[in-house]
Every structure is written in structure tokens, then in C-alpha cells.
Amino acid sequence: MLTSLSLIFLVGLTAAALCQWVKLPRIIGMLATGIILGPYVLKRLDPSILSISADLRKIALIIILLKAGLSLNLEDLKKAGLPTILLSFVPASFEIVGYILFAPIILGIGRIDAAIMGAVLAAVSPAVVVPRMIYLIENKYGTEKAIPQMIMAASSCDDIFVIVLFTTFLGMAQGESANTMDFVNIPISIICGIALGAAVGYLLYRFFEVMYKHKHHVRNSMKTIIILGISFLLVSAEYWLEGKISVSGLLAVMSMACMLKIKSTSFVSKRLSDKFGKLWIAAEIMLFVLVGAAVDIRYTYEAGLCAIAIIFTALLFRTVGVVFCTLGTKLSWKERLFCVIAYLPKATIQAAVGAVPLAADLPCGAIVLSVAVMAIIITAPIGAFGIDCLHKKLLSHDA
């Protein structure tokens, strides 16, 4: 395992640096490293690390969501208002409709199979989007209209909505009936996640305050470890409470970080944000190399031009959905175009659930995985490249 970790960090970092040198997003180098070193090409990664790949990817996501929560200004987020809520489910819904309408024509699959494919493909990747929105917030691009804050918050809710739909459609394909409670649980999961995180964040703030008053000052490095440990518990609580009440653990993590930012002094929250920013340097490499390792490149040959056609057709539907969410706002057409680009990347969710229909022995399993793999390879670099290269042209730089 140590050799595998060495390869992940050293080769991944080198590939990312090379991509950055030729003006390409670093993520391309990391994904390529995972694909090449992974079990489907050179097979240089130890099976033991691949067996815990999903957990390692979740840890990386937790770190970036903590950084996001400590960077998010709720007052700025209020400026966005309704569009934030709409972006949480409308673009994904439009994209799923695109798959349901056109996948049977282009790929020759059934409607339920097309719905499963749409649910796998519709989720935006917070792992690609969130760190870039944090960068924009810190460098004050689009912050006057709360554009990065809006995208960052909505993309986290988008995943919950899509995963619930995926579970429902998968059950229907296996002969189960659609459960109304699955759809009711979507807002419940979001609200409970935010409430749980806010409560834990407040209690954590009070704990640090009491310790400080009793002259037991907790250093920021120690606070980082405590916050990270509690974040793991919040994500675990999602599974402990399964069947009792729906709670989004990842949203709870971001909400906890937001509460800490609100209650702590700006100096303390900035120091904590910097600490998690340093952790993200390693976590980012781990996340995207392991996402690449989960990509079975062989399926891209099976996918062919039809997969590319359905991906771009569905993305057109997604684009309409994003534009619809921003109608009636003060956003310019350049800013709306940026929102469209920011909502393109697919990676984490597709790598996590793309193979589930195949493992469930569904007839559509192979084609769903093929399209998911192709979508990661196409949209993650395009989205990352678009955000990195066009934000200065499309967003205003606020003083």
C-alpha cells in the first residue's frame, strides 16, 4: 500500500504540474494518473488501497466541504436567493429528461434504463466545482452577485437529489414500485443535514470558547483535527439514521463549518480555512487519482460516438435548465454562461455509482457504465478548463 500511496502522490503531483505548465487544468493530469496506474491499464495500485478507494474519496470530499463552509458568507448567499434552490434540482431534472427522451433513440435502450442512465449522469461533481468556487470567492470574482457562493451551495444539494432518483429508478428496474417517501425525503435530508450541522457547529464553538475562558487554549492545528473527526461522525450519522430519518452527512459537514465561521472571529475562521486548504493539497491528488483509477477505460471503446452524442444532447437540456434558473436575476449573459460551464463537470458520483447497474445484473449495466466513463473523461476536463480559463472574462472582479 505504501508503494501505491507513493505513486499516487508523486506521479499524480508531477502529472498535475505538467498539465498546469501547458495551461491545462491540473485535474486532467490526476485523472490520467489514476487511469494509467489503475487496475485496467498498468495495474500498479495495490488492491488493498482500491478496496478503500470510496472511503478515501469521501474523506477528500469532507476536507473540501469544510474548506467551503469556512469560506462561505451566508449574507452573500442570501443575495442569490431562489436561484440557489432551483439550481439544486432543475438542471439535473432537465438533463434526466434529455436522457429519457433521446437515449432510447440514440442508444436503443428502454425508458427505465434511460432514466437510470440519466440519474447516474445528471449529478455535477462538487469535487471539481467546489475548490474552484472557493478560489473565486477568495479572489473576489463574481462575489458581488454571489455567483460562486450560489454554485457551491447548489452543487452540494444537486447530488442528494440525483442519488435519490437513481435509487428509485434502480428499484423500478428491478421490479420494485416507486416510493413516494423517497421523493419526500429529499427536502427532509437537506433540512435535517443543515440543522444537524448547525447545531454541532454551535456546540463545537461553545466548547472552544469555554476552553479558552478556562485558559486551556486549543491551538488551531488541534481544532482542525477535532473538526475533521466530528465531520467523519456526521457523515457516519447518515448511515446510522438510515431507515429512521434522512440526513445528508455532507451537507451537515458544510453547515457545521458555516456555523463555526459565523460564530468565530474572522481571524480564527481564516486560520482554520487555511489549515484545511493545506490538507486539500494532498486530498485533491488522492481524490482525483482514485476517481481515475475507478474509470474502466475499456468501456470507452464500447461507448463510441453514440455515447458522445447522448452526453452532449443531455448537456443541452442541462444548459436550458441552468439558464431557466437564472431568469429574472440580475446576472448578465456572460455570468449565466459561466453558470452553465460550472455545472458541466461529472466525476465523483459517476465514478461511485456508474458500475452499480452492471453489478445489479441489469441489461443496461454495461452501456450505463460506458457512458458514465465517457462523461467523466469529456466533461471533467471541459468544465475545469472552462472555469479556470474563462472566469476572468465572464465574471466581474470585485474590489
Short mmCIF file of all heavy atoms in Angstrom, two decimals, residues 17 44 49 75 103 150 154 165 180 204 261 276 286 323 329 362 375 382:
data_model
loop_
_atom_site.label_atom_id
_atom_site.label_comp_id
_atom_site.label_asym_id
_atom_site.label_seq_id
_atom_site.Cartn_x
_atom_site.Cartn_y
_atom_site.Cartn_z
N ALA A 17 1.37 19.01 -12.34
CA ALA A 17 2.28 20.13 -12.61
C ALA A 17 2.54 20.28 -14.11
O ALA A 17 2.60 21.40 -14.64
CB ALA A 17 3.59 19.92 -11.86
N ARG A 44 -0.79 -0.87 -11.22
CA ARG A 44 0.26 -0.56 -10.27
C ARG A 44 -0.26 -0.17 -8.89
O ARG A 44 0.53 0.08 -7.98
CB ARG A 44 1.14 0.58 -10.81
CG ARG A 44 1.95 0.21 -12.05
CD ARG A 44 2.86 -0.95 -11.76
NE ARG A 44 3.64 -1.36 -12.93
CZ ARG A 44 4.34 -2.49 -12.98
NH1 ARG A 44 4.34 -3.30 -11.95
NH2 ARG A 44 5.01 -2.80 -14.07
N ILE A 49 -5.63 -0.72 -1.42
CA ILE A 49 -5.98 0.70 -1.46
C ILE A 49 -7.21 0.92 -2.34
O ILE A 49 -8.02 1.81 -2.09
CB ILE A 49 -4.79 1.56 -1.91
CG1 ILE A 49 -4.98 3.00 -1.43
CG2 ILE A 49 -4.62 1.57 -3.43
CD1 ILE A 49 -3.74 3.84 -1.54
N GLU A 75 -24.40 35.90 4.22
CA GLU A 75 -25.02 37.15 3.79
C GLU A 75 -24.94 37.29 2.27
O GLU A 75 -25.88 37.74 1.63
CB GLU A 75 -24.34 38.34 4.48
CG GLU A 75 -24.62 38.45 5.96
CD GLU A 75 -26.11 38.56 6.26
OE1 GLU A 75 -26.79 39.31 5.53
OE2 GLU A 75 -26.57 37.91 7.20
N ALA A 103 -32.06 8.92 -25.18
CA ALA A 103 -31.25 7.70 -25.06
C ALA A 103 -31.90 6.50 -25.75
O ALA A 103 -31.20 5.71 -26.40
CB ALA A 103 -30.97 7.40 -23.58
N MET A 150 -23.43 30.76 -4.78
CA MET A 150 -24.65 30.11 -5.25
C MET A 150 -24.34 28.75 -5.86
O MET A 150 -24.99 27.73 -5.54
CB MET A 150 -25.33 31.02 -6.28
CG MET A 150 -26.53 30.42 -6.98
SD MET A 150 -27.24 31.59 -8.18
CE MET A 150 -25.95 31.60 -9.45
N ALA A 154 -25.47 25.10 -4.25
CA ALA A 154 -26.44 24.33 -5.04
C ALA A 154 -25.86 23.00 -5.52
O ALA A 154 -26.57 22.00 -5.56
CB ALA A 154 -26.91 25.16 -6.23
N LEU A 165 -33.04 9.92 -6.83
CA LEU A 165 -33.69 9.50 -8.07
C LEU A 165 -33.05 8.23 -8.63
O LEU A 165 -33.75 7.33 -9.11
CB LEU A 165 -33.60 10.61 -9.12
CG LEU A 165 -34.46 11.86 -8.88
CD1 LEU A 165 -34.28 12.83 -10.04
CD2 LEU A 165 -35.94 11.49 -8.74
N THR A 180 -43.21 7.04 -2.80
CA THR A 180 -43.39 8.50 -2.68
C THR A 180 -42.47 9.08 -1.62
O THR A 180 -41.96 10.19 -1.76
CB THR A 180 -44.85 8.82 -2.32
OG1 THR A 180 -45.71 8.22 -3.29
CG2 THR A 180 -45.08 10.33 -2.31
N LEU A 204 -19.70 23.04 19.11
CA LEU A 204 -18.25 23.00 18.96
C LEU A 204 -17.64 24.37 19.25
O LEU A 204 -16.60 24.49 19.92
CB LEU A 204 -17.89 22.53 17.55
CG LEU A 204 -16.47 22.04 17.29
CD1 LEU A 204 -16.07 20.95 18.27
CD2 LEU A 204 -16.37 21.51 15.86
N LYS A 261 -17.76 29.49 11.19
CA LYS A 261 -17.33 30.75 10.58
C LYS A 261 -18.14 31.92 11.13
O LYS A 261 -17.60 32.99 11.42
CB LYS A 261 -17.48 30.69 9.06
CG LYS A 261 -17.13 32.01 8.35
CD LYS A 261 -17.29 31.89 6.86
CE LYS A 261 -17.14 33.25 6.18
NZ LYS A 261 -15.80 33.82 6.33
N PHE A 276 -7.31 23.77 6.40
CA PHE A 276 -7.98 22.80 5.54
C PHE A 276 -7.56 22.96 4.08
O PHE A 276 -7.55 22.01 3.32
CB PHE A 276 -9.50 22.91 5.69
CG PHE A 276 -10.01 22.28 6.95
CD1 PHE A 276 -10.47 23.05 8.00
CD2 PHE A 276 -10.00 20.90 7.10
CE1 PHE A 276 -10.92 22.48 9.17
CE2 PHE A 276 -10.45 20.31 8.27
CZ PHE A 276 -10.91 21.10 9.31
N MET A 286 -5.25 12.64 -4.02
CA MET A 286 -5.83 11.35 -3.68
C MET A 286 -7.19 11.16 -4.34
O MET A 286 -7.49 10.12 -4.93
CB MET A 286 -5.96 11.23 -2.16
CG MET A 286 -6.55 9.92 -1.66
SD MET A 286 -5.41 8.55 -1.82
CE MET A 286 -4.24 8.96 -0.53
N VAL A 323 -30.02 28.02 -17.43
CA VAL A 323 -30.48 29.34 -17.89
C VAL A 323 -31.85 29.66 -17.29
O VAL A 323 -32.11 30.78 -16.85
CB VAL A 323 -30.54 29.39 -19.43
CG1 VAL A 323 -31.19 30.68 -19.91
CG2 VAL A 323 -29.13 29.27 -20.02
N THR A 329 -33.04 37.16 -12.78
CA THR A 329 -31.97 37.64 -11.90
C THR A 329 -31.24 38.80 -12.56
O THR A 329 -31.50 39.14 -13.72
CB THR A 329 -30.96 36.52 -11.61
OG1 THR A 329 -30.29 36.17 -12.82
CG2 THR A 329 -31.66 35.28 -11.05
N LEU A 362 -28.36 -5.65 -14.42
CA LEU A 362 -29.36 -5.05 -15.30
C LEU A 362 -28.84 -5.10 -16.74
O LEU A 362 -27.64 -4.91 -16.98
CB LEU A 362 -29.64 -3.61 -14.89
CG LEU A 362 -30.31 -3.40 -13.52
CD1 LEU A 362 -30.52 -1.91 -13.28
CD2 LEU A 362 -31.63 -4.14 -13.44
N ALA A 375 -18.43 10.26 -19.96
CA ALA A 375 -18.82 11.57 -19.43
C ALA A 375 -17.75 12.16 -18.53
O ALA A 375 -17.48 13.37 -18.56
CB ALA A 375 -20.15 11.45 -18.68
N ILE A 382 -13.38 19.54 -19.53
CA ILE A 382 -14.01 20.71 -20.17
C ILE A 382 -14.50 21.69 -19.11
O ILE A 382 -14.27 22.91 -19.21
CB ILE A 382 -15.17 20.27 -21.08
CG1 ILE A 382 -14.64 19.58 -22.34
CG2 ILE A 382 -16.03 21.49 -21.49
CD1 ILE A 382 -15.72 19.04 -23.25
#
